[in-house]
Amino acid sequence: MPSMIGRRGLLDLARTQLTATAGVLLYGPAGIGRTTVLEALVPPGGTVLRCTPAEEDTRLPFVGLVDLFAKVPASYVDDLPPAPRAALNAALLRGRAPMGERSRLAVRVAVLEALTALAAAGPPLHLVIDDLQWLDEPSGEVLGFALRRLDHATVRVIAAERVREGEQPVRLRCCPPGTAEIRVPPLPDFELERLLRADTGDALPAAALQAIGHAAAGNPLYALELGRAIARDGMPAEPGSPLPVPQRLRGMLLERARRLPPQTRHTLLVASAATRPTLTLLRAAGVPDADRDLGSAAHLGIAVADAEGAVRFLHPLIRAAVHADAPEHSRRAAHELLAAAVTEPVEQARHLALAHPHEDEATARTLIAAAASARRAGAPGTAAELAGLAARRTPQDRPGDHADRLLAAAEYACDAGLRDEAAHAAETVLNGSASAPHRVRARLILLGNAGQALGGTRQLIEAGLRDAAGTPELQARLHHWAAIRGLLGGQLTEAAEHARRAADAPSDGTRIAALALLARLQALHGDLAAADRSLQEALALPAGAADGPEGWGLIRTGALLAADADRVSDAHEEVAELLARIGEFAGSEETKATLVALTRIQVRAGRCREALASAARLPAEGASPPALYAAALAETAGGSADRAQELAERAVAAAEADGDQLFLLRALAVLGQARMLLGNTHGASAAVEALQRTRRLGEAMGLADPAFLRWYAELAEALVLLGETDAAADAILAARSRTNRQTPGSVLAALDRAEGLREVAAGRPKRGVARIQSAADRLRRLPLPVDLARTLIALGNVERRSRRRTVARSALAEALAACEACGAAPLAARAREELARLDAMERGGGGGPQLTATEQRVAALVGGGATNREVAAELFISVKTVEGTLSRIYRKFGVRSRTALAHAMAAAVIASGAGLAPADLDLDASDRPAITVTVDPAARPRP
């Protein structure tokens, strides 16, 4: 059975309509999949009469009835009254042909009666008519007559009609009244790709899939035919060459076009070769009667010219078929005419190349100049295509020019994100050039093309440095890449040494890039003053202050360091302006880096909705670790905890695959944050696992930057939730040992909040509240609404459990207002939960002992008979932590043994009654280190 990929929703709709109405008419152009859906729509069982006419059948009267009645038992005809029986037998070629109005009426009555009897004799009757457009007129008239009079509860019609692109069906009169007309739409590109992969496996590269998607325009038959041809014969050797449209497909598409006069076919060929064909362009290309020719083509449904003179083929594949069907010499002649007619340099160069598919230095020079023009215009993909054509047109006796042009094609392809094309061009030069500078340039392109996966490029860099001996600029650029490799690999000391050597470059551009990288490395080590000095040195260079590509990375680095130092407003303004300024002129990696930086800054600044929008602009398919990390970070701030965790896990996997230690560290940190947002003990345990790994990686790299110190605070809070107060104290102490006079206030506030929560969990609520209040006061002086809201939620939670309800409500209301203003959806939900608990408390609940979330779980398990070791295994904590937690629980309940604890918990359950609000039970709280214990009846101790 043909594939139903992409058609399940349409099939469900058709089935629903078939149940509710007398019939369904599926319509659409050739190849769109009408028959596939029709066959899937025919229900199993029942009686099915089929008719599948062909175009040649339209001239044969009653051939449709002959098909429909082929499997109808003769008895249903023999039992008819004499006149209708004779007329129907004649129509079915079992007697004389019916003559006159009376005989034609008799045929109609006979068909009506026979179908009525057939439907009454058994299961529902379905009439299935495919290619309704070819049904002969007499059969259509008879069916229309009968179907208007049949009982639609027992007889239904399933039909399909082929129509031209964008047109409506015209044979609806052959169907019963109320028939649902359902257009079979084109498949979306992603479904078309699924269909192609299911049919050809992995035989088609991404460029082929893209070309097929454009040419097929959602038509599954066209896509499959093209895909099989390309899988068999490969893609055209040169850009701009016609797709290999198979002969069978060309015959179907061009059946009408081949009937046109030679001059009209020539007009269509020239139009198919033009990028943007118009009547004006066709006349300039020497086509005298373009209006008349397009009128003839429009009449046959091939191509039209609109009121403005723009020429449009009715389907993209008709255009490709017209081009592919012409002889090679005719195609060259068409491109020669267009090269002389167009005025736009890039298009002119492309036509010139296709008109002269052989080595020619003049053509090559024109093409490489056009490539540079296209790149300046922000079209790197077009530039790569033209530079590749220039390389092919370069004569063999000019190897240096050939290498230069091939390297230009590789650079442009890299800018366009065409990694396979860039790698192929650069490797061709690397493996075939005798010039050391050319080989170094090829290696530099391969390094830029590797993205984050620089782990395996050491030999590439070392070989490049040997080839670059005596060329300081090339050596400096290779040292710069060695520094990036060291940064991503976690070798920060080695990376800094390479960055310093790169900063000795003769050119301002390389020096600026190296100094910006050195500033990042210095900031990661916590030396913000040295980082600022490196940035100032770069800015002092002439190119550093200019508005050009040399300064883009410098602006990003400075903005990120400013954001880490709590100067988020300035940082956001700088990067937002940079993104708007570089627009389409930057390469794909440059744009991606800017979007990632902007997302990070927006999250820090509490612009949560904007962060989600910025992250959404990053590529979704085959996303890199930075893109996935930024998307996950934006979700933690303004989206969904589940979505954040999914993206963070993908970011971790991608960073591990690339050997990217820097973004592995960041991805693990955001994964820990996302798991904390899930709001349960298991989430806290999983968060600790991710954040502990972050800590180990960061300490191994010698990190002391503000972001890393904030992650210590995240870890400490997660440990507090699990009752691991000693481990939390160790994390806080480790972070404080890395602070200095340059440490931003937000870091100190985060550590104060974590310390305060630890104090509360350790039974020192007053000291804890003072710490958290100090953190909130510090954050009120900073433009960091998300950090403040989080601190206020922690303060409200602690004050609520201390029964200071007015103070708690004030803190939580302030937090909720801040969250709603900045779009921090996950934290806003947390604030509302805390306010709901406060409301429940004020209605009279929650008067029991004050236990943390972990204490409550330990109490329930111990009261149920679990040993300390069993509790530790269940809650993913140490036995020592269980013992310490149990001691605190004993104190709070005023008991000294497990038995007494079980009795006290049972008494608490009895005292609380059955009317406890679920919000007060709080067994799986996330970032709330303590809660009012009213014991969950479901967690009562076992007798």
Side-chain angles (χ1 to χ4, degrees):
M1 180 177 177
S3 172
M4 287 300 295
I5 288 174
R7 297 302 191 199
R8 294 296 176 186
L10 181 67
L11 180 59
D12 291 343
L13 170 64
R15 282 174 174 158
T16 300
Q17 293 292 339
L18 187 61
T19 302
T21 65
V24 166
L25 173 59
L26 303 159
Y27 70 93
I32 203 66
R34 303 178 319 279
T35 299
T36 299
V37 180
L38 178 141
E39 292 299 334
L41 193 55
V42 177
T47 303
V48 178
L49 304 184
R50 289 180 177 271
C51 173
T52 308
E55 184 174 8
E56 55 269 24
D57 296 341
T58 56
R59 299 182 299 275
L60 303 174
F62 296 114
V63 71
L65 283 186
V66 171
D67 287 345
L68 284 171
F69 275 78
K71 294 186 179 180
V72 175
S75 60
Y76 286 93
V77 178
D78 295 341
D79 290 345
L80 294 171
R85 181 177 66 241
L88 181 56
N89 277 326
L92 299 176
L93 302 180
R94 301 170 188 171
R96 280 191 316 147
M99 302 293 292
E101 289 297 325
R102 186 176 181 83
S103 294
R104 284 194 288 271
L105 177 60
V107 173
R108 288 163 170 75
V109 172
V111 170
L112 172 62
E113 301 233 354
L115 292 179
T116 300
L118 195 61
L125 174 62
H126 288 86
L127 304 184
V128 179
I129 309 171
D130 198 4
D131 280 328
L132 185 61
Q133 74 279 0
W134 305 134
L135 184 67
D136 63 278
E137 197 62 36
S139 294
E141 292 173 355
V142 170
L143 282 176
F145 175 90
L147 291 171
R148 288 194 297 273
R149 292 165 174 81
L150 282 168
D151 178 4
H152 300 142
T154 56
V155 180
R156 285 191 167 84
V157 172
I158 306 171
E161 180 178 347
R162 182 197 296 184
V163 300
R164 289 182 183 178
E165 295 284 346
E167 294 186 1
Q168 297 292 313
V170 297
R171 302 301 298 275
L172 191 62
R173 65 183 184 280
C174 302
C175 300
T179 293
E181 300 174 69
I182 300 178
R183 173 177 171 266
V184 181
L187 284 178
D189 287 347
F190 74 94
E191 295 286 16
L192 211 61
E193 184 172 330
R194 283 182 59 212
L195 183 68
L196 286 164
R197 291 199 183 281
D199 187 71
T200 64
D202 293 325
L204 299 175
L209 291 171
Q210 184 178 7
I212 291 169
H214 175 74
N219 189 299
L221 174 64
Y222 296 171
L224 289 172
E225 291 284 340
L226 288 171
R228 290 163 187 165
I230 292 174
R232 182 183 64 248
D233 303 327
M235 283 286 285
E238 284 196 343
S241 298
L243 282 175
V245 183
Q247 186 65 40
R248 178 173 60 181
L249 195 53
R250 275 188 262 165
M252 181 172 66
L253 291 163
L254 302 179
E255 181 181 0
R256 298 187 186 92
R258 286 170 176 168
R259 303 174 193 165
L260 292 167
Q263 176 56 45
T264 305
R265 295 202 300 273
H266 172 71
T267 300
L268 291 174
L269 172 59
V270 176
S272 74
T275 305
R276 290 174 295 278
T278 64
L279 291 176
T280 301
L281 176 61
L282 292 176
R283 293 188 196 104
V287 178
D289 295 315
D291 305 70
R292 182 200 62 193
D293 294 340
L294 266 297
S296 301
H299 181 70
L300 296 179
I302 299 168
V304 296
D306 63 21
E308 284 74 37
V311 177
R312 177 177 61 85
F313 287 84
L314 294 188
H315 192 281
L317 195 58
I318 297 178
R319 179 179 188 165
V322 167
H323 200 227
D325 205 46
E328 173 66 21
H329 67 86
S330 297
R331 291 199 296 266
R332 291 186 194 177
H335 285 295
E336 186 80 63
L337 291 172
L338 289 166
V342 298
T343 57
E344 200 279 317
V346 169
E347 188 175 355
Q348 186 179 57
R350 183 185 283 112
H351 287 305
L352 187 63
L354 295 171
H356 301 280
H358 48 75
E359 294 178 4
D360 180 74
E361 178 58 19
T363 301
R365 282 198 299 269
T366 300
L367 285 165
I368 200 65
S373 175
R375 184 64 191 90
R376 287 193 298 271
T382 299
E385 174 191 329
L386 293 171
L389 287 170
R392 293 186 185 93
R393 299 298 182 271
T394 303
Q396 292 185 15
D397 60 356
R398 305 177 72 94
D401 290 334
H402 179 267
D404 282 334
R405 290 159 185 170
L406 206 52
L407 288 171
E411 288 174 348
Y412 297 148
C414 188
D415 285 347
L418 304 173
R419 291 194 170 186
D420 291 343
E421 292 85 341
H424 176 73
E427 285 168 357
T428 299
V429 174
L430 181 61
N431 296 327
S433 177
S435 163
H438 280 148
R439 292 196 301 272
V440 173
R441 282 182 59 196
R443 291 187 179 96
L444 289 168
I445 292 168
L446 290 171
L447 289 165
N449 199 47
Q452 306 295 117
L454 291 172
T457 59
R458 179 181 292 277
Q459 289 185 348
L460 198 66
I461 294 170
E462 291 175 348
L465 286 169
R466 287 194 296 272
D467 270 347
T471 312
E473 176 61 25
L474 292 179
Q475 287 179 314
R477 291 174 64 185
L478 286 162
H479 279 299
H480 179 245
W481 278 110
I484 295 174
R485 180 181 179 277
L487 170 63
L488 297 182
Q491 305 298 319
L492 302 192
T493 302
E494 177 185 329
E497 179 58 33
H498 281 293
R500 289 188 181 94
R501 296 184 69 176
D504 292 331
S507 74
D508 277 5
T510 303
R511 289 184 66 193
I512 289 168
L515 287 167
L517 180 55
L518 182 59
R520 286 180 65 190
L521 292 162
Q522 290 164 333
L524 287 171
H525 278 300
D527 194 346
L528 302 183
D532 186 64
R533 287 194 298 273
S534 295
L535 289 177
Q536 294 305 317
E537 183 180 347
L539 286 168
L541 296 169
D547 184 16
E550 297 86 357
W552 293 346
L554 185 61
I555 292 171
R556 280 197 305 271
T557 300
L560 287 170
L561 297 185
D564 275 345
D566 301 339
R567 302 193 306 276
V568 292
S569 298
D570 293 342
H572 181 266
E573 182 179 352
E574 287 179 5
V575 178
E577 285 183 359
L578 174 63
L579 185 63
R581 194 160 63 246
I582 65 177
E584 61 187 7
F585 300 105
S588 61
E589 289 296 315
E590 192 81 38
T591 301
K592 180 175 70 177
T594 306
L595 280 168
V596 170
L598 182 60
T599 304
R600 289 176 58 189
I601 292 166
Q602 286 167 335
V603 169
R604 287 283 297 134
R607 296 171 175 262
C608 304
R609 299 182 189 91
E610 294 175 43
L612 286 170
S614 297
R617 295 173 61 183
L618 288 160
E621 295 301 322
S624 64
L628 288 166
Y629 155 76
L633 185 65
E635 287 289 337
T636 63
S640 150
D642 289 332
R643 176 67 173 155
Q645 180 174 233
E646 175 200 343
L647 288 165
E649 287 171 348
R650 288 176 57 194
V652 168
E656 288 174 332
D658 282 355
D660 182 346
Q661 297 295 296
L662 181 65
F663 275 95
L664 174 59
L665 187 84
R666 291 173 177 164
L668 285 167
V670 80
L671 177 59
Q673 294 165 9
R675 286 171 171 173
M676 291 279 283
L677 288 171
L678 293 176
N680 53 56
T681 306
H682 178 71
S685 177
V688 166
E689 180 183 351
L691 292 166
Q692 287 282 32
R693 191 176 171 195
T694 303
R695 176 181 176 178
R696 289 194 297 272
L697 283 170
E699 289 179 350
M701 293 166 65
L703 296 187
D705 65 309
F708 184 55
L709 299 182
R710 282 190 287 268
W711 296 335
Y712 273 108
E714 301 272 0
L715 172 60
E717 291 188 28
L719 288 166
V720 167
L721 286 173
L722 297 180
E724 300 273 6
T725 53
D726 290 345
D730 174 70
I732 295 168
L733 183 62
R736 292 198 186 279
S737 71
R738 287 167 170 76
T739 61
N740 54 42
R741 296 175 60 185
Q742 304 171 44
T743 302
S746 62
V747 172
L748 301 176
L751 293 172
D752 279 347
R753 182 181 63 235
E755 179 65 29
L757 293 173
R758 193 194 73 82
E759 292 283 2
V760 171
R764 297 182 288 274
K766 289 184 179 180
R767 290 169 61 178
V769 166
R771 282 279 194 180
I772 300 171
Q773 185 65 65
S774 172
D777 291 342
R778 186 189 296 272
L779 288 168
R780 284 192 180 96
R781 298 190 293 271
L782 298 172
L784 305 172
V786 173
D787 288 19
L788 176 60
R790 181 174 175 183
T791 304
L792 289 170
I793 290 170
L795 180 63
N797 175 281
V798 171
E799 295 286 29
R800 173 179 64 80
R801 287 181 287 102
S802 298
R803 312 195 71 79
R804 290 164 51 87
R805 298 171 186 169
T806 302
V807 179
R809 185 173 297 280
S810 175
L812 293 170
E814 184 183 353
L816 180 58
C819 292
E820 290 177 339
C822 69
L827 282 181
R830 287 269 300 278
R832 292 188 193 98
E833 290 170 7
E834 285 296 327
L835 286 166
R837 289 183 177 87
L838 190 58
D839 291 341
M841 178 184 289
E842 291 177 347
R843 288 194 299 269
Q850 308 296 308
L851 299 188
T852 68
T854 300
E855 286 170 351
Q856 185 163 284
R857 293 291 299 276
V858 169
L861 291 168
V862 168
T867 66
N868 288 0
R869 191 171 297 279
E870 289 169 339
V871 173
E874 176 71 19
L875 299 184
F876 306 100
I877 57 180
S878 67
V879 174
K880 182 180 178 182
T881 298
V882 174
E883 292 169 352
T885 303
L886 196 53
S887 297
R888 292 195 298 274
I889 295 170
Y890 285 168
R891 287 199 304 271
K892 291 179 181 182
F893 273 96
V895 297
R896 295 186 178 182
S897 68
R898 291 169 179 264
T899 302
L901 176 61
H903 287 302
M905 290 177 66
V909 171
I910 294 168
S912 64
L916 290 176
D920 279 333
L921 298 179
D922 223 13
L923 285 177
D924 288 322
S926 67
D927 195 18
R928 298 174 286 275
I931 42 148
T932 299
V933 127
T934 347
V935 182
D936 187 350
R940 294 178 184 177
R942 297 192 294 271

